[in-house]
């Protein structure tokens, strides 16, 4: 087996060897080949390694070279980009190069001036708010800048605070929100937004309110549709808390002179911080405070009186619209009406300009920020170049738009300018209306009301294709519509004032008339002293006229040689001066010159008439208005507004206020109109205590039912009136179209301004004149109807009825003559006449009439119950004694004077007729002369002159109240400088003080205090020294206040205004309680001249020379002088058996023939001589030794020296003298002033009368002696 196995194995081995061995050989061969191949491989690998190493080296070299290449390319690319960026920067900033180069050059200077400029800006924001544009410019440039320069603080010359404190884009936003575009409004916008204190805005026209509401519209809260809060709102505290906590804007209206102290912590910003929250303690309540909270206070009062403390807590800003600012607004309204597309285009252009300007400023700011914030290489800032490119492109686009917009604005402006005259006239008219509110507080017209008139006038004006003709039509229509609207709300005495004010304002605004000419018209020569001007060369000219003439020649270049012309042609000028109607004559030497002055010729003639013939001024004013091209006859023709005409223009939500006057009551007319309209009778409520709820109930019912409501005497219900504006606004949405609210009220200084500005005003002055008065008396329902005429079937009844009515009209119309008519202007009413008629009727029923009883009942009981002055009682008794007598009922009796001086027009006879029909009486009355002759009143024809002078002076005074109280005149001299110079002049002329020790010693030399006249002198000098001290201290303080060294108090401000207006300062004439402090005269020149004359009389007397004749006018207490004289006379008669008691001594007067003081060589043995007294209403004849009629056009006649002494009423000689005296004597009152009241009555002088003109004649003439005629 083993062998077998072995053999098998060998066989297998052999078989296998045959197969394997060749393979082994092949393997060996292969291995050898492999070995050789491996050696070759190794050699090849060695070669490969060497190649690889070389290739690596080469790759490294290649890579390095490639890197170097790429780096070089990158550097080249970057350099190219930098070159491009540099080029872009250079090109992009090229436009700014000049400006930035200049800015860089001036930057150091600006840095130096920045401190001073910021100081001026801060001072402007802090102090300039209450002032007008002119004073703001003055205080910034003349005070703030000058103060900085004086303190060596660099400051920009003529700094423009507007451009310094606000950019043009911000101001543009304000303008879009409604802020006017004038500089004052822009300044106000800066003040409102820059001040840290809450603004208190004086906003009579409501423009600030409108702007703030628009500007703050996103943050205004709303309460029941209202976003305003009244200061008197009971929920003010809650609304304050809401706004303050949420950061809202609170607008508080209805501010007057004070603000609720509750708001003090808020105004003073007493902020408390607790944690992260802010609080303010208001009335013990801790309220949240949000930093975004804003608060505005707004008052509609044009001239409020805020305390210094309130002004310190707020920023007071005067937002009163300026004439130029209003003109621009009105121009916009004219264009929007006449050229609507043009105005819309302008609005769009302005918005685009503002938007583009803001974009330009933002781009500029962005660029500067990029440039200044970049810390690396500018060329590497790729975003900067992009921003610059974008900025450049946008700037070019914006500049192109601005240039285009500027061209468009220029084109639009040229077209707009065609309509500017209409806007200018509108602005003038509105400011004339505003100035009339200074005359009477009730003459208030809001800007909203005026704008309605303004827009309405364009509707009414005649259309025209030519713009110039259309503008002319608008101006004409607007002026007349405004005149009619305002005229119906003015009292009769103020209507001419308004038209005259408008006319002069138009001429001044147009540049035809210098504003410096207006004070000459108003004051004349009131500031001049007759002793300090050129001596008067004309005896026929009064002193007042001469002073006016001197002032006219000094102030008006046109009349600079007038005095020389008058001297060379005196006779012609004298005839012109003395003519009854000089305004109708040609002006000597100047007529052609006046005609050549087409624009102001009428005004120059008015000036001449005003200066030389004051009495013709009113008539000449009407002639001036009639002949001035800008006005015309329509503005002086009488017009009447009936209640029906007023009703036609009424709206349910606009009440009508009837301004009441003496004898006017629209109640009957309103009721009658209501009846004509077939409406329910109006609810008539007379306000007074407890009537407010009744009135409110009637108004609420009227609003619902469409009925009328009449509230009477509303000045007695001011509480309701203050609520009325809110009541009407609340009910406005639910008013029935037929509802009407009528209000009647007398003028009241506290009548609510808001109500006046939302209402239409109407006056209801009764017609004046005898004819109107008698026609009113013979109107059914007023006084006499047919039934009353027939109550007593006798002619005597009807004659006496007419006589009573005639007397009633006479005593009423006599008031127009002032003190010459009645010492006190009494309110005689229809009730007085009614009582007299009832008494007469009952008296006639009882039998024969007792004339003395009848006269007594009329003069002393029915009418006399109102009369308080004893001389007025005497006058009324005289009327009844002359006109209510048995002769009144005789055939042919007439009220005409028996010996008229001028005569009644058309020889008309005023007879007490006995017609049986009322219509016959009315027909007869309608035939009365147009103008009532003074002689029918018992007065001299000169009384018309007195009346005209009184009316003229009243006109000048009223116009003076409308004049501005600030600024300089056309010569550029500020009023403060004028007053400072005048104060220096007065101080230089003021007498030396009276030293008490000195004048006491001199009085002892005169006999001491045992002499009654010395006591009087002592008292006079004491009072006179008080006046000197007051004048001196006031003038010195005024000069210091003008220089700014002391506070300008209200007293000093009043003194400044008075001295500038040539008036006597109030506190020089009156004490604090209103009593007489010195003496009262109308002008400063007369008053100071009187001071010097008084000083001369006192010093002469003190120096040992007792006056031969006393100038009674020059005493504070002339009664004291006469009493001292009576004491001396009584003492002289105490030496004999018949001793005189002072109580028994009465005055005895005799008019001497002495006219000049030089004729008096010695005083009388007993009593005194008195000189300087003037007769009014009569004259004195030296030849006849009695009273005679006044010379034509001579209002006052100088009385010869009057001898006054004392007589014992019980002496037998006096009694015998009275019995034997056959000469009639008029007991003539002697007054200290022309204002005839008991307060100024000194004594009675007995003046002889001719037999044909008894004392009653002179009583009706109003004859009296005056110490001062002014």
């Amino acid at each position: 087996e083993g062998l077998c196995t072995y053999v098998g194995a060998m066989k297998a081995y052999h078989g296998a060897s045959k197969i394997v061995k060749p393979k082994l050989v092949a393997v060996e061969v292969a291995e050898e080949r492999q070995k050789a191949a491996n050696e070759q491989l190794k050699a090849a690998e060695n070669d490969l390694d060497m190649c690889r190493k070389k290739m690596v080296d080469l790759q490294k070299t290649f890579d390095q070279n490639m890197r170097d290449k790429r780096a070089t390319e990158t550097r080249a690319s970057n350099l190219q980009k930098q070159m491009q960026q540099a080029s872009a920067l250079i090109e992009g900033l090229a436009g700014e190069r000049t400006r930035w180069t200049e800015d860089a050059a001036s930057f150091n200077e600006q840095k130096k001036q920045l401190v001073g400029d910021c100081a001026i800006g801060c001072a402007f924001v802090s102090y300039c708010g209450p002032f007008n544009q002119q004073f703001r410019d003055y205080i910034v440039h003349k005070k703030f800048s000058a103060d900085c320069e004086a303190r060596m603080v660099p400051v920009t010359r003529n700094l423009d605070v507007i451009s310094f404190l606000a950019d043009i884009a911000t101001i543009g936003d304000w303008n879009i929100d409604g802020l006017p575009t004038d500089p004052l409004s822009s300044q106000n916008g800066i003040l409102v937004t820059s001040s840290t204190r809450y603004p208190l805005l004086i906003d009579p026209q409501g423009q600030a309110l409108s702007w703030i509401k628009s500007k703050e519209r996103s943050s205004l809260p709303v309460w029941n549709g209202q976003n305003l809060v009244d200061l008197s709102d009971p929920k003010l505290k809650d609304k304050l808390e809401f706004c303050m906590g949420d950061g809202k804007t609170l607008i508080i209206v209805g501010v007057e002179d004070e603000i609720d102290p509750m708001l003090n912590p808020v105004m003073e910003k007493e902020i408390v911080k607790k944690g992260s929250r802010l609080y303010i303690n208001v009335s013990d309540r801790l309220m949240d405070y949000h930093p975004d909270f804003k608060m505005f206070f707004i008052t509609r009062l044009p001239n409020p009186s805020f305390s210094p403390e309130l002004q310190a807590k707020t920023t007071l800003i005067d937002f009163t619209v300026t004439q130029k600012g209003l003109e621009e607004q009105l121009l916009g309204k004219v264009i929007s009406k006449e050229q609507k597309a043009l105005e819309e285009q302008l609005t769009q252009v302005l918005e685009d300009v503002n938007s583009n300007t803001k974009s330009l400023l933002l781009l500029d700011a962005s660029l500067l920020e990029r440039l200044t914030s970049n810390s690396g290489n500018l060329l590497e800032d790729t975003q900067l170049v992009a921003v610059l490119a974008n900025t450049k492109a946008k700037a070019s686009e914006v500049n192109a738009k601005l240039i285009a917009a500027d061209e468009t604005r220029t084109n639009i402006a040229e077209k707009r300018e065609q309509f500017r005259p209409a806007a200018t006239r509108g602005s003038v008219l509105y400011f004339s209306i505003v100035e009339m509110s200074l005359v009477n507080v009730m003459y208030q017209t809001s800007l909203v009301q005026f704008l309605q008139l303004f827009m309405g006038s364009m509707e009414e004006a005649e259309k025209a294709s030519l713009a110039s003709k259309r503008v002319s039509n608008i101006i004409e229509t607007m002026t007349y519509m405004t005149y009619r609207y305002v005229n119906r709300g003015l009292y009769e005495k103020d209507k001419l004032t308004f038209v005259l004010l408008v006319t002069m304002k138009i001429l001044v605004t147009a540049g035809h008339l210098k504003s410096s000419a207006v004070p000459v018209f108003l004051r004349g020569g009131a500031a001049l002293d007759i002793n300090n001007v050129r001596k008067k060369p004309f005896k026929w000219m009064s002193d007042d006229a001469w002073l006016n003439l001197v002032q006219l020649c000094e102030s008006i270049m046109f009349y600079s040689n007038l005095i020389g012309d008058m001297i060379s042609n005196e006779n012609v000028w004298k005839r012109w001066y003395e003519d009854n109607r000089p305004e109708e004559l040609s002006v000597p030497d100047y007529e052609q010159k006046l005609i050549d002055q087409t624009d102001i010729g009428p005004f120059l003639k008015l000036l001449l008439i005003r200066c030389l013939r004051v009495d013709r001024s009113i008539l000449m004013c009407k002639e001036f208005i009639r002949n001035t091209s800008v006005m015309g006859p329509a503005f002086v023709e009488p017009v009447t507004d009936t209640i029906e005409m007023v009703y036609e223009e009424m709206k349910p939500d606009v009440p009508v206020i009837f301004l009441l006057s003496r004898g006017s009551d629209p109640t009957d007319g309103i009721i009658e109109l209501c009846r004509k309209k077939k409406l329910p009778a109006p609810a008539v409520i007379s306000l007074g205590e407890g009537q407010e709820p009744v009135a409110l109930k009637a108004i609420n019912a009227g609003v619902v039912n469409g009925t009328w409501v009449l509230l009477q005497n509303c000045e007695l219900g001011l509480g309701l009136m203050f609520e009325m504006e809110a009541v009407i606004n609340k009910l406005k949405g639910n008013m029935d179209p037929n509802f009407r609210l009528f209000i009647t009220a007398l003028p009241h200084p506290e009548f609510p301004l808001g109500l006046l500005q939302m209402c239409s005003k109407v006056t209801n002055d009764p017609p004046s004149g005898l004819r109107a008065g008698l026609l009113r008396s013979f109107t059914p329902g007023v006084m006499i109807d047919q039934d009353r005429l027939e109550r007593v079937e006798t002619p005597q009844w009807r004659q006496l009825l007419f006589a009573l009515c005639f007397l009633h009209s006479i005593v009423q119309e006599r008031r127009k003559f002032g003190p010459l008519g009645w010492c006190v202007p009494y309110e005689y009413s229809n009730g007085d006449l009614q009582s007299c008629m009832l008494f007469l009727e009952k008296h006639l029923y009882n039998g024969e009439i007792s004339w003395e009883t009848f006269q007594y009942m009329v003069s002393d009981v029915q009418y006399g119950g109102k009369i308080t002055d004893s001389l007025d009682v005497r006058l009324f008794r005289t009327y009844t004694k002359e006109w209510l007598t048995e002769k009144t009922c005789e055939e042919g009796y007439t009220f005409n004077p028996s010996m008229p001086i001028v005569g009644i027009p058309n020889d008309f006879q005023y007879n007490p007729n006995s017609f049986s029909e009322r219509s016959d009486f009315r027909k007869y009355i309608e035939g009365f002369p147009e103008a009532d002759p003074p002689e029918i009143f018992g007065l001299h024809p000169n009384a018309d002159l007195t009346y005209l002078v009184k009316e003229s002076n009243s006109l000048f005074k009223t116009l003076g109240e409308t004049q501005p109280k600030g600024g300089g005149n056309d010569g550029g001299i500020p009023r403060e400088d004028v007053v400072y110079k005048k104060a220096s002049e007065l101080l230089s002329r003021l007498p030396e003080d009276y030293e008490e020790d000195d004048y006491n010693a001199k009085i002892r030399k005169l006999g001491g205090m045992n002499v009654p006249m010395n006591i009087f002198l002592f008292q006079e000098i004491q009072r006179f020294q008080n006046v000197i001290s007051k004048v001196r201290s006031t003038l010195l303080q005024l000069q210091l206040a003008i220089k700014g060294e002391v506070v300008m108090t209200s007293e000093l401000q009043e003194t400044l205004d008075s001295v500038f207006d040539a008036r006597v300062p109030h506190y020089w004439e009156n004490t604090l309680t209103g009593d007489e402090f010195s003496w009262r005269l109308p002008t400063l020149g007369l008053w100071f001249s009187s001071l010097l004359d008084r000083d001369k009389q006192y010093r002469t007397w003190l120096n040992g020379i007792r006056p031969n004749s006393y100038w009674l006018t020059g005493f504070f207490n002339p009664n004291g002088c006469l009493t001292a004289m009576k004491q001396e006379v009584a003492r002289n008669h105490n030496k004999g058996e018949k001793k005189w008691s002072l109580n028994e001594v009465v005055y005895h007067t005799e008019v001497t023939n002495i006219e000049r003081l030089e004729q008096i060589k010695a005083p009388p043995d007993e009593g005194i001589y008195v000189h300087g007294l003037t007769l009014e209403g009569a004259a004195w004849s030296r030849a006849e030794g009695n009273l005679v009629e006044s010379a034509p056009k001579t209002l006052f006649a100088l009385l010869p020296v009057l001898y006054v002494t004392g007589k014992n009423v019980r002496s037998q000689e006096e009694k015998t003298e009275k019995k034997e005296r056959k000469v009639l004597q008029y007991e003539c009152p002697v007054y200290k002033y022309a204002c005839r009241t008991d307060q100024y009555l000194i004594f009675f002088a007995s003046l002889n009368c001719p037999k044909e003109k008894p004392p009653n004649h002179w009583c009706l003439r109003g004859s009296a002696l005056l110490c001062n005629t002014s």
Side-chain angles (χ1 to χ4, degrees), residues 1107-1128:
N1108 294 335
S1109 177
Y1110 292 85
W1111 182 45
L1112 207 60
T1113 308
F1115 293 137
F1116 291 94
N1117 181 18
N1119 306 67
C1121 177
L1122 297 176
T1123 302
M1125 178 274 297
K1126 284 203 301 183
Q1127 285 180 312
E1128 292 190 348

Side-chain angles (χ1 to χ4, degrees), residues 784 788-789 797-805 837 840:
I784 295 177
R788 187 181 288 275
L789 282 176
W797 160 247
R798 296 190 291 273
Q799 286 176 308
L800 290 179
L801 272 184
F802 182 87
L804 284 174
C805 293
M837 289 180 178
L840 176 62

